Amino acid sequence: MMSHLRSSGRWARGLVALTVTAASTLAAITAVAGPAAAAGHPKPATTADKPKLGDACTSADLGTRHPIIKSAEVAPTITHFKGWYVTEGSTGTQSVNTNTTETISVSVGLNGTVQGSFAVEALGSVGASLGLNVQVNYTHTSSTSQSISWNFRQPGYYGLYEGTKKVTGTYGSLNCNRSDAGGLKWTEGPDTGSYTTFTTLEEGAVRCQDKVPANSMMAKAQGLLDCGSPAATAKHLAGPVPSAKAEQAKRDADNAAKAVQSMKATQAAKPAPFAALNCQPAVYRIDVPGKVLNWSAPLLANDGIRLRESSFFSAHLDNWRLCNVTENNGVIEASLWNWGNGGCATIPADIANQEQAYLTTANCGEDDLQRFYIYRDVPGSSKIGLQNKYTGSMMGHDRYADGELIRQYSSGRQDGTGTYALTGV
């Protein structure tokens, strides 16, 4: 059996070694070959400075979030493959060009990439929980033919392959919010999504007659090898063997990529308008606690929501209403309607996948980019944190200054500059 595998150095760069140090952490995630979900609500891999579900938090944490890994699936995946027949007298080292069977891209959330500290932290938690070295930055396996050099010691029908462990699953977020038991606690927020990453790449060769472990990389490659009839094998005496399964896998990958592009185009389309906004009568300013500046909607279409001081000339641009309000498990969801320009707060669709994309207003519509989760301080306090429903990012600002843009941050602002006050006017 060709059991000696080589680890490809092409993808070794950028991997972060993450090691599980406690059996209880491993138990938080159940990794299986088929669909997997961890039982209950497991806590993410934690360090001393990372919060856990149920821990106490402070009002400064209202504008922050951390990932919680809810499920994980680890599946050996062949990314490149070629069937190859070696005859008597042709043994020894040969270089074989393999075809792409699947391209794996690292992503977190809906944007097909890895943006911001939340995504990196989520993938780091996955690797730590599973005890695997996984990619934590945006990259993908090669989509072009790969040449594999292999020393064939005996004649036979071989499958040359390159592969990796594909890791997929779902995540949620830990957010600071008021607790029914009193005080502020880290709770599981409504924000959820999926992730994809992979481990180091391996090269190898396997024959039809080799006995290999079930659900291993070699078993996956052997499944792509045409091990049917002698006649099927004989027709490949000339050398390279096209694989129908490999070609179908490539077509499936191409179709999946087209589907993602179609979904993005649909999401970028202009939303249909609301039939009517159901706004609460109360009017608010969204203040920086203890300071004079607050959110003010833009007058110009291409500008964003900025920190401004209220005055006689504010023209209600600093006045907001909560519309189409719902509440689930203590978390408010609402659209933010501006009295001054009649628009709703939103992240622009064309930059929604970017860390630090600015917040602006647009015509109100049925669009999750215009919906926000509101996390509240204890009763009697007006302090809040705001999270965009579509992107999952928290709202905040870089510095306290007149004219500073309100932006989205995937993990929020850890210095407390993502905590605001909902002050009645």
Side-chain angles (χ1 to χ4, degrees), residues 46-398:
T46 58
T47 60
D49 58 350
K50 187 184 297 185
K52 297 184 291 294
L53 191 64
D55 282 355
C57 53
T58 69
S59 60
D61 296 315
L62 289 171
T64 64
R65 70 169 180 156
H66 294 274
I68 179 171
I69 305 305
K70 303 182 72 175
S71 69
E73 177 183 343
V74 181
T77 303
I78 303 301
T79 60
H80 294 80
F81 181 83
K82 176 71 76 175
W84 196 257
Y85 196 82
V86 178
T87 61
E88 292 284 355
S90 64
T91 55
T93 301
Q94 297 184 40
S95 293
V96 180
N97 288 325
T98 60
N99 297 321
T100 303
T101 59
E102 182 173 345
T103 301
I104 304 172
S105 296
V106 180
S107 65
V108 177
L110 297 173
N111 298 316
T113 184
V114 176
Q115 284 277 346
S117 57
F118 180 87
V120 173
E121 185 180 352
L123 294 176
S125 296
V126 172
S129 298
L130 297 176
L132 295 174
N133 296 336
V134 301
Q135 291 279 357
V136 297
N137 297 306
Y138 177 67
T139 186
H140 60 82
T141 60
S142 175
S143 58
T144 61
S145 174
Q146 295 293 311
S147 177
I148 296 178
S149 295
W150 200 260
N151 183 14
F152 299 96
R153 294 192 174 92
Q154 50 189 317
Y157 181 37
Y158 291 84
L160 273 293
Y161 67 88
E162 186 171 82
T164 183
K165 291 183 177 69
K166 183 178 181 180
V167 184
T168 58
T170 58
Y171 65 84
S173 65
L174 289 179
N175 294 83
C176 183
N177 196 33
R178 63 172 61 173
S179 169
D180 291 339
L184 292 174
K185 301 287 185 183
W186 287 105
T187 61
E188 187 174 346
D191 175 43
T192 60
S194 61
Y195 62 85
T196 299
T197 185
F198 60 92
T199 63
T200 52
L201 291 175
E202 298 175 355
E203 294 175 350
V206 64
R207 300 175 303 169
C208 291
Q209 64 268 37
D210 289 338
K211 302 298 182 183
V212 298
N215 198 39
S216 64
M217 204 83 69
M218 298 182 76
K220 293 290 183 181
Q222 200 175 55
L224 296 177
L225 199 57
D226 188 357
C227 296
S229 64
T233 303
K235 70 180 181 180
H236 303 304
L237 288 174
V241 182
S243 168
K245 290 184 179 180
E247 294 301 323
Q248 183 60 49
K250 185 177 186 304
R251 287 193 294 271
D252 291 343
D254 292 340
N255 291 336
K258 291 178 182 177
V260 170
Q261 292 301 319
S262 176
M263 179 187 70
K264 289 182 178 180
T266 300
Q267 291 167 347
K270 185 177 180 180
F274 276 122
L277 280 174
N278 180 18
C279 296
Q280 295 181 347
V283 179
Y284 300 96
R285 290 196 180 102
I286 304 176
D287 302 307
V288 178
K291 299 182 182 294
V292 299
L293 302 183
N294 55 261
W295 290 21
S296 182
L299 277 174
L300 303 177
N302 294 328
D303 197 10
I305 297 171
R306 297 177 181 271
L307 292 178
R308 298 289 191 191
E309 184 174 357
S310 294
S311 70
F312 176 79
F313 303 101
S314 296
H316 296 302
L317 291 173
D318 55 358
N319 290 171
W320 302 86
R321 280 188 171 137
L322 305 185
C323 304
N324 294 357
V325 178
T326 62
E327 183 171 348
N328 186 27
N329 293 328
V331 179
I332 291 176
E333 180 185 328
S335 297
L336 305 177
W337 178 81
N338 185 263
W339 190 357
N341 68 12
C344 285
T346 187
I347 301 293
D350 59 338
I351 60 172
N353 66 330
Q354 296 179 16
E355 182 80 350
Q356 296 190 38
Y358 64 88
L359 188 64
T360 187
T361 57
N363 292 333
C364 299
E366 292 282 1
D367 190 342
D368 284 345
L369 282 168
Q370 297 184 5
R371 300 290 287 172
F372 293 84
Y373 298 125
I374 300 176
Y375 301 94
R376 294 170 291 173
D377 199 359
V378 296
S381 170
S382 61
K383 292 181 180 179
I384 60 169
L386 296 105
Q387 178 182 26
N388 186 264
K389 181 177 182 179
Y390 180 80
T391 67
S393 294
M394 310 299 295
M395 300 301 107
H397 52 273
D398 276 340

Side-chain angles (χ1 to χ4, degrees), residues 3-46:
S3 59
H4 48 291
L5 301 179
R6 296 177 295 180
S7 177
S8 173
R10 286 191 294 271
W11 297 94
R13 297 184 300 274
L15 289 177
V16 178
L18 300 162
T19 306
V20 173
T21 58
S24 60
T25 306
L26 277 171
I29 299 295
T30 302
V32 296
H41 296 284
K43 298 177 182 178
T46 58

